[in-house]
Amino acid sequence: MRRSLPPFLAAMVSGALAAQALPPAPPLPGLTERRLANGAEVILVRRPGSGAFRASLFFRQGGVDEPPQLLGATELLSRCLLGPAWPEDLRDDAGLEPLLQQEDTLAESLRMAGAQGGASPDREALAAAHGALLDRLEARYDQDASQEAYRAAGGLEVQAVDTRDFLAEGVELPAEAFGLWCRTEADRLRRVALSRLPFARASLVADLKSGAFPKDPAVAVLLGAALPGHPYGRNLGDYAAAVEALRRDDLRAYARRACSPGRMAVVLVGDLDPGAALPVLERTLGALPAGTPPEPPVLPDLNLALGDRRVQIQGEDSRVLAGWRIPARTSPDAPALEVLARILGGGPSARLPLRLKEIATDIQVSTGRPGARYPNLLVVDARPRPGHSLQEVEEALDREILLLRQAPVSQEEWSRALAQLEVGRLDLQADAGDLAAALGVAWAQTGSWQGFSAEADRLRAAGPEALQRAAATYLIPSHRTVVEVVPDPSRRLDAQDRAFLEVLRTLAQRQVEDPAQRESLVAEGLRQFQMLPQAERTKTLDLLRRQLQGAR
Amino acid sequence: MTRPMPPFAVLAVPALVAAGGLGPLQAADPAPIPGSPQTFVLPNGLQVALFEDHSLPLVKGELRVALPPPAEDPEAWLRPLGLRMMALGGSGARSAAAFAQAADAVGLQLPASLGPRAVTWRFTARAQDQGTALDLLADRVARPGFDPQALEPARLEAWSEVGEAQALPRARLRFDRSLAALPLPAERQLATLDPTMLAAWHRTRFRPEGARLALWGDLDLAQARQLAILAFGAWTAGAPAPAPAAPASPAPEPGPFLAALPGEACELRIGLVEDGTDAALRRYLGPWVLAQLQAAGLHPSDPLSGDPLVVTADAPLGVPAAPLKARLEAALEALPATFGDRDLAALARQATAAQVLRGLHPGDQLADALAPAAAPRDLETARTVLRRWLGAANRRLFASGDPGALAGLQAPAAPEPQAPVSTPKR
């Protein structure tokens, strides 16, 4: 699931951009690379004198790799395997495991009872028993945040994040806590206790059902419509029921494979001496069993020239999102497309902010949506100014894209884009957290940390003419999907309209995979529903509700 | 590093030297201490701190210009619009387009953030562009041009914000402004605003003697001095802002800020006004407050983000908001009394640990140099700060949802404000 990334990962996009503008590239100063005995990779950048270090674990296993029966597993692992290191995940507690198993069984029974619909004494008894068990579990946990292992050692910025491409965690610690970090991570990856799974699952399901995710529904529709059938286009918000049905044993088994050393990179930046640090790593994280990585996912062969698609949805304000299917980060054309994004939207004097400023605002251009291991999207996002229409903005955007295809970019624009990218690259290197993130993301997306700098050589060799070639290849109508967001009339909906929308959306999620088709169906359904006389509306709503109950 | 001086600086530097203004800059340079900035003051009062780091060809910087407390500034309502105009307009001798082009050419961005008693600009530049970057920063901050053509769209935008008819955005705007202690402009004030007034506002508020510049990166003390003089040496302020005889604009509304949305579930927020009171102490106590609210199962915003702390709660459709409000208020009310010696000691340990980790982040070093946190001198001081921060007088309420659910959310009585606690020096 795509959540807003913490700062250390928010830098990754600009890191990907910045990587392509390096001057002739020396290897990163102070960088040591090593493969541990069990296959885990270590990337260590020494920064003497700071007295502290940033430690990250990256697993090349993201939402895109989830098998259909384990949708949401990556998100759950980021919530209850990685991040804060709680005492109950790190100690032997003979009484805890039976309680967790009992909770898992009760939760499944409760879910099954719920699926049968309606209230019943059995279901109420189950719910009461489950609630009591959760209370007992909670009572065993340390609620005092100071007991978290890293905070107790003076650590900060304990984070875990899941993306479509990878799962990662990071923490900042004083240099003397390096041994503690190695032992703690090795210990929890060996145990995979998932002690807080009941609460993490309930919280995720509540988030999904409440509509809190996806945070930006327009982007979710764009991804679904532009990348149909591919996990990049999937919206976890449609799979709350599947997440609710995840069992603890299945998730633990998956975690052991997904987080196996062969899919792991240890990224360290800070005041660490490789000579002293590597033996400690070998004894701890290097001693984890190699395990068996999960089968690679069977992904559809995405046709980039799928055809021009167009979807209209309702939202708070007018907005247009145009996405073009572009190749993965490892493609020779990827650096040129990154620079094109910068030429279109990098700064107030870039083409779109400058030339569309009279008619559009909040113009954003980005690549790598929603990831970059596989074909993804270059997205232009803009809002019409008051008095201007979506069509005007789209037409102006088309003209600018056409110009990119027809004429080479000027030397001045090329130099400006390179300067911006170089500032971004240097800025990433200045901050230990950002550098660790950039190296880890490059490793996860390209197979090596050198993805952070090697792309620069490709771009430099290509020159500005490569941009026109890339635009003519990818920024064409057959690669494009447009989502138009028109102001939401739902503020004028009555309670019955809203109930109808809720039921129809739930039904549509089960039967129509393509979000674009689904949105069209729901919008048309609402239009017809609103035209019915009151009695017919009530009857129709009852009918749909019964259909929903039957489907359960 | 050498580069040509801009014309204004060529004139300004000899004048400063002739006036003996460089005296403080001619002292012997002390050796830099790792993690500690070297500091100096320009004759015009601008304070400069430098963290030398030559590991990358990069320079980062922050410039913080102090503003009077909103309650003492009759034109506090103008701050958001004035800053927008500074960002949109040209600067110095450059038109807006030329400024944007010059900044983009070196990959420079100059984002500004408005706090209750200061505006802060940040930048990052290649070491080879450090002079250009500082020139552009100085132009934007000290010599902005207020473009009459840019004023009309900005005025219309502000007008439409103020006159917003829809309940939800209107309530959100008023809530946000109340938390920032910034009154909304009256239509008459917006209508009469012109570039001359904006220039006068800028001249009296943006003063070098209330400004601090922090630099990090690939430059030494001599370079930093030269650059600071060239870019900021000619910055002289106008007369100070006149003391208000009577408030020219109303004080921010106390709320509650309610948006009736028939048929919608209730969303409730309690925010804490951030007008600069006890700012350094609140930064120090913020992590504890955040942890306590999270442990209570609430959803607070991060008090260290610089924005006012807001606690949010949702209720399913049909559930009234009043009990939710009571729950949030009770949680906030209870916190000061629970703060004890152990918490104070834990915060001290946390602050020490954070100091160690700051070496990983140049941005944190800069922010800390300009806006440090300060430990309360004792437990009672800490509790007093917490009571003032979390207390009823400082809370503002926002709620949206079905009118039935919002029933019972009454306007709180306006209690008397308490005097701030003085911040001990670090």
Side-chain angles (χ1 to χ4, degrees), chain A residues 155 197 208 211 215 231 249 252 254 341 396 403 410 414 433 470 530 534:
Chain A
L197 173 61
L208 294 172
K215 280 196 171 163
D249 285 346
R252 291 183 79 193
Y254 178 71
L403 266 179
S410 67
W414 167 258
Q530 288 176 319
Q534 183 56 42

Side-chain angles (χ1 to χ4, degrees), chain A residues 517-535:
Chain A
Q517 283 181 18
R518 199 161 61 215
E519 281 299 323
S520 302
L521 187 149
V522 170
E524 176 58 20
L526 178 63
R527 193 185 66 78
Q528 293 184 16
F529 182 75
Q530 288 176 319
M531 292 164 64
L532 295 175
Q534 183 56 42

Side-chain angles (χ1 to χ4, degrees), chain A residues 29 47 49-54 143-146 151 153-157 172-175 269-271 316 342 346-350 354 357 385 412 415-420 422-423 426-434 490-491 493 495 498, chain B residues 34 53 55-58 60 88 97 100-109 124-129 153 157 160 166 168-169 172 216 261-264 287-288 291 295 317 342 346 349-350 353-364:
Chain A
R47 291 273 171 87
S50 61
F53 67 101
R54 169 88 193 182
Q143 302 301 329
D144 182 357
S146 66
R151 280 179 70 100
L156 284 177
E157 303 292 326
E172 287 167 10
L173 286 161
V269 181
D271 197 0
E316 272 196 24
R342 183 67 64 152
S349 64
L354 190 67
K357 67 180 176 189
R385 286 192 182 277
E412 186 192 343
S415 302
R416 191 166 61 208
L418 292 196
Q420 292 173 0
E422 193 184 353
V423 171
L426 289 168
D427 200 19
L428 283 179
Q429 289 188 59
D431 186 282
D434 291 345
S490 66
R491 298 267 178 260
L493 298 184
R498 290 173 195 285
Chain B
D53 187 314
S55 58
L56 289 167
L58 186 76
K60 294 168 75 71
L88 288 175
Q101 202 159 18
D104 281 351
V106 294
L108 182 72
Q109 296 180 351
T124 302
R126 293 179 296 195
Q128 69 196 63
D129 301 322
E157 202 172 323
S160 64
Q166 290 185 42
L168 188 60
R172 276 183 186 155
W216 175 97
L261 303 175
E264 294 221 350
W288 181 82
L317 192 57
R342 282 184 56 191
R349 284 195 302 274
Q350 203 172 324
Q355 186 68 37
V356 171
L357 301 179
R358 207 157 284 140
L360 299 172
H361 306 292
D364 287 358

Side-chain angles (χ1 to χ4, degrees), chain A residues 36 179 270 280 353 406 434 461 520:
Chain A
L36 301 179
V280 179
Q406 290 180 339
D434 291 345
S520 302

Side-chain angles (χ1 to χ4, degrees), chain A residues 170-526:
Chain A
V171 63
E172 287 167 10
L173 286 161
E176 61 268 19
F178 179 64
L180 167 85
W181 179 79
C182 292
R183 289 191 302 276
T184 302
E185 291 307 317
D187 196 16
R188 67 168 156 184
L189 288 175
R190 187 176 287 112
R191 290 173 185 267
V192 192
L194 307 186
S195 302
R196 299 198 178 203
L197 173 61
F199 304 98
R201 183 173 45 204
S203 151
L204 176 56
V205 169
D207 286 346
L208 294 172
K209 287 185 172 174
S210 72
F213 295 121
K215 280 196 171 163
D216 191 337
V219 171
V221 170
L222 175 69
L223 295 174
L227 304 164
H230 194 279
Y232 270 176
R234 194 162 54 209
N235 173 10
L236 193 57
D238 296 343
Y239 299 94
V243 174
E244 200 169 16
L246 271 175
R247 306 297 301 273
R248 181 166 175 267
D249 285 346
D250 295 336
L251 190 61
R252 291 183 79 193
Y254 178 71
R256 288 187 193 286
R257 298 196 308 276
C259 301
S260 62
R263 303 187 75 76
M264 177 170 77
V266 183
V267 186
L268 302 160
V269 181
D271 197 0
L272 298 172
D273 173 14
L278 287 169
V280 179
L281 285 165
E282 198 67 76
R283 285 197 303 272
T284 50
L285 288 163
L288 287 169
T292 313
E295 292 291 320
V298 181
L299 299 177
D301 189 13
L302 196 61
N303 176 14
L304 297 184
L306 196 61
D308 199 0
R309 309 192 81 193
R310 184 168 296 269
V311 186
Q312 193 173 76
I313 62 169
Q314 293 167 345
E316 272 196 24
D317 301 303
S318 287
R319 178 180 171 197
V320 60
L321 293 104
W324 285 266
R325 285 176 286 277
I326 59 172
R329 186 172 170 181
T330 48
S331 159
D333 291 329
L337 287 157
E338 300 285 5
V339 178
L340 279 174
R342 183 67 64 152
I343 283 171
L344 282 171
S349 64
R351 290 190 180 189
L352 297 182
L354 190 67
R355 299 177 187 172
L356 273 62
K357 67 180 176 189
E358 303 296 333
I359 61 170
T361 183
D362 296 339
I363 299 171
Q364 309 278 341
V365 186
S366 55
T367 57
R369 309 287 294 267
R373 272 171 63 192
Y374 300 102
N376 56 85
L377 297 185
L378 183 154
V379 176
V380 177
D381 187 350
R383 294 168 196 271
R385 286 192 182 277
H388 296 276
S389 67
L390 285 167
Q391 284 66 30
E392 278 178 87
V393 177
E394 285 180 49
E395 284 166 16
L397 179 56
D398 284 348
R399 281 197 299 276
E400 292 303 324
I401 298 293
L402 188 63
L403 266 179
L404 277 180
R405 297 203 299 264
Q406 290 180 339
V409 301
S410 67
Q411 190 63 40
E412 186 192 343
E413 282 182 301
W414 167 258
S415 302
R416 191 166 61 208
L418 292 196
Q420 292 173 0
L421 295 174
E422 193 184 353
V423 171
R425 173 184 65 84
L426 289 168
D427 200 19
L428 283 179
Q429 289 188 59
D431 186 282
D434 291 345
L435 178 58
L439 294 172
V441 172
W443 172 85
Q445 292 182 336
T446 70
S448 165
W449 68 267
Q450 292 176 14
F452 178 61
S453 56
E455 289 153 330
D457 294 332
R458 287 160 39 194
L459 180 67
R460 207 172 30 251
E465 59 277 14
L467 305 187
Q468 189 182 354
R469 217 168 33 239
T473 307
Y474 300 104
L475 304 187
I476 51 180
S478 64
H479 285 49
R480 183 178 59 185
T481 300
V482 176
V483 173
E484 290 178 343
V485 185
V486 295
D488 182 4
S490 66
R491 298 267 178 260
R492 297 191 296 275
L493 298 184
D494 62 20
Q496 205 171 32
D497 291 333
R498 290 173 195 285
F500 173 82
L501 267 182
E502 188 182 339
V503 174
L504 189 60
R505 281 214 166 98
T506 310
L507 281 170
Q509 278 168 12
R510 294 175 181 184
Q511 292 168 15
V512 185
E513 193 173 333
D514 185 333
Q517 283 181 18
R518 199 161 61 215
E519 281 299 323
S520 302
L521 187 149
V522 170
E524 176 58 20
L526 178 63

Side-chain angles (χ1 to χ4, degrees), chain B residues 258-307:
Chain B
L258 308 180
L261 303 175
E264 294 221 350
C266 175
E267 182 193 325
L268 191 127
R269 299 179 195 179
I270 290 185
L272 305 172
V273 175
E274 210 55 80
D275 62 358
T277 304
D278 304 333
L281 291 154
R282 288 182 187 180
R283 272 193 286 279
Y284 189 87
L285 295 167
W288 181 82
V289 172
L290 181 68
Q292 300 304 306
L293 293 172
Q294 286 173 336
L298 302 175
H299 302 287
S301 63
D302 182 0
L304 301 183
S305 67
D307 295 327

